């Protein structure tokens, strides 16, 4: 049946006793009477009653139009993510979940039936069956339980790195120049010590002259960046950057039985590093963005990405950073990826990003303080017109209940519906740590990413150059200034020896070799400045 053949609004199919229902209920029911594949969220709440005949759903093709799951702490946001992730996996859609609190790992194991589960299933007319779903578990830098996820400094890029280093806009631009310099000189930035070595070189007597050639980077700003890097390393951040770098295409895998793999990034062990993990999530999304092909509108998403604790991403973000997020969210839809931001209130998400989120699941809000009341009023204004008194409804919702509006199969917003949500069929809590470790160790990806590799890169090359310079005999005659070394001059015999020494040490790659190519030696970078990798 096509959209044009959908049942009439006055008596939607599946609503028993429809003529006896109030007109607003009929209109809501009609708005969710989809004909194609959809995810089942729960049953309508109206006038204090649960109406199981009116099922609230999300069309599967609309999941790449992004969404927001919001609500106060303890209102059931995590269980909502689990419910949606289960159904996506069952329909062959891979899912990415960030497990901040450490209780999402249960999605891999069948749930446990109890009185609460039976009562909820009966209320919403759910045929509840315990089920576990195919999972891969990851951990940032191998900190905690999971396959290590690392990024190289080059791939992470200057914009995202500036966010975790808490640099201001001027310093962010200067860091971009440093990346540009390293790209041109063939100094691979793999880990933090590589970047620190390059910045240290540029602030040294020998390297200061190089600053003038890359846009006038001040030594004072370079010093600030160097101090930020030193403090960052002192906080134990080094393990998150390095090789082997995680290939984000792993997140789009489908299990042998056709179900989508649920990728769970375990984050409890880095809860005290909120900017790091939120920015790492953005790196994953940015990397997916420039690697995936354009597919346009599809029958079902290629991947749905849940971005938990989203407010951490936007706090103190620069304008360039916010613009990059907005552009990524807007454009990644055409690559078949849906992004759901998870936070407490819609005001945590900038307006330009919020405008891209077509599906909304809003759990209860509290109004204990003037700030809470202001946030409540702001949240109500973000919803379409509704027959509900949303200020009253949003403060009265119980755990596992939410106000929902999604995009219909035609792309139009559905009526606002207070909803009693279904119970997840997988375990609503963490799996045993020993079982989690076994699952990680048995994964075919473990051998690929478990052991860190430290190959020759900028740090080793600059260290070798320094050692070679220290061991070289002093010149008999005054040498030319350092600013003129290795710059493609027409060499006489003395100049040639200097150039050969520099190039031979592996510190600088010859720019002449790159002049015939379109992008030269400089790495092509995406919206966030993250490097495109050749896989």
């Amino acid at each position: 049946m096509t959209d044009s053949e959908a049942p009439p609004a006055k008596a939607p199919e599946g609503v028993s006793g429809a003529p006896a229902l109030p007109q607003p209920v009929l209109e809501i029911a009609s708005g969710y009477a989809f004909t194609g594949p959809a995810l089942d969220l729960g049953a309508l709440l109206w006038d204090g009653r649960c109406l199981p005949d009116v099922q609230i759903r999300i069309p599967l093709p609309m999941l790449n139009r992004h969404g927001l799951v919001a609500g106060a702490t303890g209102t059931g946001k995590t269980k909502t993510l689990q419910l949606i992730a289960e159904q996506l996996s069952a329909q062959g859609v891979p899912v990415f979940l960030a497990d901040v609190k450490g209780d999402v790992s249960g999605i891999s194991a069948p749930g446990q039936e109890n009185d609460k589960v039976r009562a909820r299933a009966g209320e919403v007319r759910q045929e509840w069956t315990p089920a576990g779903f195919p999972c891969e578990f990851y951990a940032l830098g191998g900190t905690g339980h999971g396959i290590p996820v690392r990024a190289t400094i080059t791939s992470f890029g200057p914009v995202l790195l500036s966010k975790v280093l808490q640099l201001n806009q001027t310093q962010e631009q200067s860091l971009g120049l440093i990346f540009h310099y390293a790209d041109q000189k063939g100094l691979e930035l793999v880990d933090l010590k590589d970047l620190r070595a390059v910045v240290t070189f540029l602030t040294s007597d020998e390297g200061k002259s190089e600053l003038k050639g890359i846009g006038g980077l001040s030594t004072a700003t370079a010093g600030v960046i160097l101090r930020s890097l030193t403090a960052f390393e002192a906080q134990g951040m080094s393990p998150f950057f390095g090789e082997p770098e995680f290939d984000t295409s792993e997140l789009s895998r489908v299990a042998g039985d056709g179900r989508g793999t649920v990728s769970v990034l375990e984050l409890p062990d880095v809860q005290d590093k909120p900017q790091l993990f939120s920015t790492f999530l953005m790196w994953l999304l940015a990397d997916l963005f420039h690697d995936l092909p354009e597919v346009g509108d599809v029958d079902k998403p290629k991947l749905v990405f849940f971005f938990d604790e989203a407010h951490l991403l936007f706090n103190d973000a620069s304008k360039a950073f916010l613009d990059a997020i907005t552009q990524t969210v807007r454009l990644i839809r055409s690559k078949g990826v849906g992004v759901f931001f998870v936070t407490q209130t819609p005001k945590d998400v900038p307006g330009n990003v919020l405008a891209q989120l077509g599906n909304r699941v809003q759990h209860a809000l509290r109004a204990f303080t003037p700030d809470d009341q202001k946030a409540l009023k702001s949240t109500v204004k973000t919803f379409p017109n509704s027959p509900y008194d949303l200020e009253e409804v949003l403060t009265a919702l119980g755990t596992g209940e939410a106000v929902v509006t999604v995009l219909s199969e035609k792309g139009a917003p559905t009526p606002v519906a207070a909803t009693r949500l279904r119970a997840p069929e997988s375990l609503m809590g963490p799996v045993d740590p020993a079982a989690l470790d076994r699952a990680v160790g048995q994964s075919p990806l473990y051998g690929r990413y478990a052991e860190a590799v430290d190959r020759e890169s900028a740090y080793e090359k600059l260290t070798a150059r320094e050692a070679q310079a220290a061991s070289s005999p002093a010149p008999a005659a005054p040498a030319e200034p350092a600013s003129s070394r290795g710059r493609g001059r027409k060499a006489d015999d003395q100049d040639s020896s200097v150039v050969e020494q520099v190039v031979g040490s592996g510190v600088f790659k010859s720019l002449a070799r790159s002049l015939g190519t379109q992008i030269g030696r400089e790495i092509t970078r995406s919206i966030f400045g993250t490097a495109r990798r050749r896989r």
Side-chain angles (χ1 to χ4, degrees):
M1 182 180 290
T2 64
D3 291 340
S4 61
E5 298 172 330
K10 64 181 181 180
E13 184 178 352
V15 181
S16 60
L21 295 174
Q23 185 60 31
V25 173
L26 292 176
E27 292 174 358
I28 293 172
S30 178
Y32 291 89
F34 309 128
T35 58
L39 308 186
D40 296 310
L41 293 180
L44 182 70
L45 288 170
W46 182 263
D47 197 21
R49 294 186 300 127
C50 182
L51 305 178
D53 286 330
V54 183
Q55 291 290 311
I56 306 303
R57 312 165 74 210
I58 304 179
L60 186 61
M62 292 295 112
L63 267 295
N64 72 332
R65 302 300 179 93
H66 311 319
L68 176 74
V69 178
T73 301
T75 55
K77 296 191 300 294
T78 301
K79 300 302 178 284
T80 297
L81 304 188
Q82 196 168 338
L83 174 67
I84 296 174
E86 289 177 355
Q87 295 186 61
L88 286 168
S89 174
Q91 300 207 45
V93 178
V95 178
F96 173 88
L97 292 172
D99 188 7
V100 177
K101 297 185 289 291
D103 56 359
V104 179
S105 59
I107 196 171
S108 63
Q112 297 174 349
E113 189 173 10
N114 54 40
D115 291 341
K116 287 185 178 180
V117 169
R118 282 191 292 268
R120 178 57 62 95
E123 290 168 350
V124 300
R125 198 170 291 166
Q126 174 187 7
E127 294 182 5
W128 189 89
T129 304
F133 295 83
C135 288
E136 290 284 1
F137 298 98
Y138 300 98
L140 288 185
T143 301
H145 304 276
I147 298 163
V149 174
R150 305 180 189 88
T152 63
I153 293 293
T154 285
S155 175
F156 209 71
V159 177
L160 293 176
L161 190 60
S162 295
K163 180 71 165 64
V164 296
L165 294 178
Q166 302 181 50
L167 303 181
N168 63 31
Q169 184 175 355
T170 299
Q171 293 157 359
E172 177 183 308
Q173 293 169 348
S174 298
L175 186 61
L177 290 176
I178 294 170
F179 271 70
H180 172 82
Y181 172 82
D183 288 345
Q184 285 192 324
K185 300 300 183 181
L187 297 171
E188 298 91 341
L189 303 177
V190 174
D191 50 29
L192 285 175
K193 72 178 186 297
D194 289 324
L195 181 57
R196 193 169 185 270
V198 172
V199 180
T200 299
F201 170 73
L202 290 175
T203 55
S204 68
D205 291 339
E206 182 181 4
K208 283 179 182 178
S209 59
E210 300 284 348
L211 299 177
K212 297 177 182 179
I214 60 172
L217 175 67
S218 73
T219 54
T221 300
V224 170
I225 294 172
L226 184 60
R227 289 192 295 273
S228 297
L229 279 172
T230 302
F232 194 62
E233 287 180 292
Q235 295 169 19
M237 302 299 190
S238 295
F240 305 108
F241 298 94
E243 290 180 321
E245 184 171 62
F246 182 68
D247 186 343
T248 53
S249 66
E250 309 284 12
L251 303 179
S252 301
R253 296 166 62 227
V254 175
D257 59 5
R259 292 184 296 172
T261 298
V262 181
S263 298
V264 181
L265 182 64
E266 294 289 322
L267 294 171
D269 293 307
V270 292
Q271 281 193 30
D272 59 338
K273 304 174 179 69
Q275 281 194 316
L276 176 69
F277 79 68
S278 65
T279 311
F280 240 94
L281 295 185
M282 200 66 235
W283 171 75
L284 291 172
L285 196 59
D287 197 69
L288 283 164
F289 171 77
H290 66 59
D291 277 359
L292 291 174
E294 295 279 341
V295 295
D297 291 326
V298 289
D299 293 336
K300 62 183 181 181
K302 301 295 184 183
L303 172 70
V304 176
F305 193 103
F306 289 93
F307 210 121
D308 205 358
E309 301 291 344
H311 64 282
L312 298 171
L313 181 70
F314 302 113
N315 287 349
D316 302 320
S318 67
K319 183 179 183 301
F321 188 78
L322 293 177
D323 288 345
I325 293 174
T326 303
Q327 189 173 359
T328 301
V329 172
R330 185 174 68 249
L331 298 179
I332 203 169
R333 179 188 69 80
S334 64
K335 302 195 173 189
V337 177
V339 182
F340 276 69
F341 291 97
V342 186
T343 188
Q344 294 204 356
T345 70
K347 73 180 183 64
D348 293 335
V349 181
N352 289 340
V353 177
L354 191 63
Q356 308 294 324
L357 312 182
N359 303 297
R360 299 274 301 279
V361 180
Q362 176 68 59
H363 287 264
L365 291 174
R366 310 304 179 207
F368 300 140
T369 68
D371 287 343
D372 291 342
Q373 293 169 0
K374 185 177 179 181
L376 174 62
K377 292 181 182 294
S378 298
T379 298
V380 169
K381 291 178 181 178
T382 65
F383 280 91
N385 291 334
S386 165
Y388 292 98
D389 181 343
L390 287 180
E391 285 193 36
E392 179 180 344
V393 170
L394 285 173
T395 55
L397 290 170
T399 302
E401 297 176 347
V403 170
V404 174
T405 180
V406 301
L407 294 180
S408 71
E409 293 166 313
K410 296 180 180 179
T414 59
V416 175
T419 307
R420 182 160 293 163
L421 299 168
R422 292 182 167 219
E425 296 184 338
S426 56
L427 182 65
M428 289 188 278
V431 297
D432 180 72
L436 182 57
D437 287 339
R438 283 195 300 272
V440 171
Q442 292 170 1
S443 170
L445 302 181
Y446 184 76
R448 191 178 306 170
Y449 297 107
E451 186 174 349
V453 176
D454 188 12
R455 65 181 175 89
E456 184 186 49
S457 48
Y459 172 81
E460 288 78 14
K461 291 178 179 181
L462 288 172
T463 300
R465 172 179 176 152
E466 183 179 354
Q468 187 173 14
S471 62
S472 299
E480 291 187 71
S483 60
S484 65
R485 295 177 190 168
R487 295 206 176 173
R489 297 166 300 160
K490 292 184 177 180
D492 55 21
D493 292 342
Q494 181 179 358
D495 293 340
S496 295
S497 65
V498 174
V499 173
E500 288 169 1
Q501 186 179 51
V502 172
V503 175
S505 69
V507 179
F508 298 132
K509 301 288 179 125
S510 172
L511 294 179
R513 295 174 57 192
S514 67
L515 295 179
T517 67
Q518 183 178 2
I519 63 173
R521 291 295 302 168
E522 184 172 3
I523 299 170
T524 304
R525 298 188 181 276
S526 71
I527 292 173
F528 278 98
T530 55
R532 293 180 183 272
R533 290 174 288 167
R534 296 174 178 84
R535 293 190 171 119

